């Protein structure tokens, strides 16, 4: 059983099997990436660029083939992806997905090597993250929760902000991999703490999108040029990343995701229940959660979350 730490090059001895020749140029650390969607795919490619031997698995084979085309390897199932991996990175939609992939009969814990490091970059419930980290520990697999912020652009540019929960030594072991996909990596506390901070992040983003949508709708209703308004707003105290990255699309009513309304609705459910658990008031967040839920109920779940603009305009009798 190998106990080599992630980020440390493996032996440089000549390979005994021709199969190993393909990966002579990697740094010797194998990272399995499970979930090659909007975020997981570019993160996997950045790991390839950073020198890792990356083996990807996704439910739909086309996404695996795309990774293979960019220098990674493909696996037919979770077991094949994780059985020889030093690090397993999951980037899946929601808590039940992560739970199934981790604990399932053919899942990560059934097939990962002892001493492997599981890094969950998905956004899931903090309490589920804690429970799954405990389950991993019982199987000799180290765990950190490392949800990310920065969107698809941040994933492509390897500029994600990553909030990490877990034991100090495990977080340090994960750091080289996280540095390859992100530019701000902060250890925020024990298991689950990363997910708590990510929930706070989603609270801020949803509220900000709601207010930007209201502001853009407001200036449009007054016949003021939206682009000009955005340019000057972005330079003052009202400046924010939503204005920088989303306002142009909102003005043009272009809402290709990005970050899907379905996923932000999921995250606001996490925020709402975690806030209730802690007994804290989130009056603005609750309103944002209601708006996101309504947008989804109207059939817009697969649009980018900036499509809140549509709902705000509609509530104002505009389009
Ligand atoms: P996505 O839906 O584009 O990707 C998820 C991928 O997981 C899909 O390709 C899907 O086929 C795959 N998948 C689902 N279940 C699977 C399973 N059992 N086995 C293998 N593959 C499976 O979602 P995304 O936008 O990449 O988001 C992933 C996670 O990252 C979510 O938790 C989301 O909240 C979070 N996140 C997303 C963004 C963003 O801007 N998109 C930003 C930060 C965080």
């Amino acid at each position: 059983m190998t106990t080599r730490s992630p980020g440390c090059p493996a032996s440089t001895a000549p390979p005994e099997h021709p199969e190993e020749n393909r990966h002579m140029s990697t740094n010797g650390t194998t990272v399995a990436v499970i979930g090659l969607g909007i975020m997981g795919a570019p993160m996997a490619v950045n790991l390839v660029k950073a020198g890792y031997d990356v083996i990807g698995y996704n439910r739909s084979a086309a996404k695996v083939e795309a990774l293979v085309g960019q220098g990674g390897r493909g696996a037919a199932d979770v077991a094949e992806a994780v059985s020889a991996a030093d690090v397993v990175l999951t980037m899946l939609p929601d808590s039940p997905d992560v739970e199934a992939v981790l604990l399932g009969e053919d899942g990560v814990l059934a097939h990962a090597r002892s001493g492997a490091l599981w890094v969950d970059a998905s956004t899931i419930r903090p309490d589920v993250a804690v429970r799954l980290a405990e389950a991993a520990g019982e199987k000799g697999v180290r765990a950190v929760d490392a949800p990310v912020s920065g969107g698809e652009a941040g994933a492509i540019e390897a500029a994600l902000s990553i909030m990490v929960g877990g034991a100090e030594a495990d977080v340090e072991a994960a750091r080289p991999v996280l540095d390859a996909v992100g530019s701000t990596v902060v250890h925020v506390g024990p298991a689950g703490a990363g997910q708590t901070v990510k929930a706070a992040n989603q609270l801020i983003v949803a509220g900000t999108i709601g207010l930007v949508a209201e502001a853009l709708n407001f200036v449009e209703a007054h016949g003021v040029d939206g682009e000009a308004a955005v340019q000057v707003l972005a330079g003052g105290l009202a400046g924010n990343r939503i204005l920088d990255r989303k306002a142009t699309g909102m003005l043009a009513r272009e809402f290709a995701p990005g970050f899907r309304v379905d996923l932000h609705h999921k995250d606001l459910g996490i925020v709402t229940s975690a806030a209730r658990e802690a007994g804290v008031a989130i009056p603005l967040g609750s309103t944002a959660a209601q708006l996101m839920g309504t947008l989804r109920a109207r059939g817009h779940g697969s649009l980018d979350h900036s499509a809140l603009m549509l709902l705000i305009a509609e509530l104002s009798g505009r389009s």
Side-chain angles (χ1 to χ4, degrees), residues 32-36 55-58 78 81-82 88-92 101 108:
V33 181
I34 318 282
L36 300 169
I55 179 160
Y57 171 68
N58 194 84
V78 172
V82 307
V88 177
L89 179 81
T90 43
M91 196 46 167
L92 298 162
V101 164
V108 173

Side-chain angles (χ1 to χ4, degrees), residues 34-40 57-60 63 78 91-94 97 100-101 121-124 148-152 198 202 258-260 263 266-267:
I34 318 282
L36 300 169
I38 288 176
M39 299 295 283
Y57 171 68
N58 194 84
R59 257 189 328 213
S60 40
K63 292 182 177 169
V78 172
M91 196 46 167
L92 298 162
D94 200 353
D97 306 302
V101 164
S122 327
T123 304
I124 66 169
V148 308
S149 177
E152 185 183 17
K198 173 65 185 181
Q202 295 307 81
F259 187 62
R260 288 184 286 120
L263 289 175
K266 174 253 313 180
D267 292 349

Side-chain angles (χ1 to χ4, degrees), residues 10 21 36-37 119 126 128 131 149 176 191 198 253 257 289 307:
N21 276 321
L36 300 169
V119 177
V128 174
R131 185 160 49 76
S149 177
K198 173 65 185 181
R253 307 296 194 264

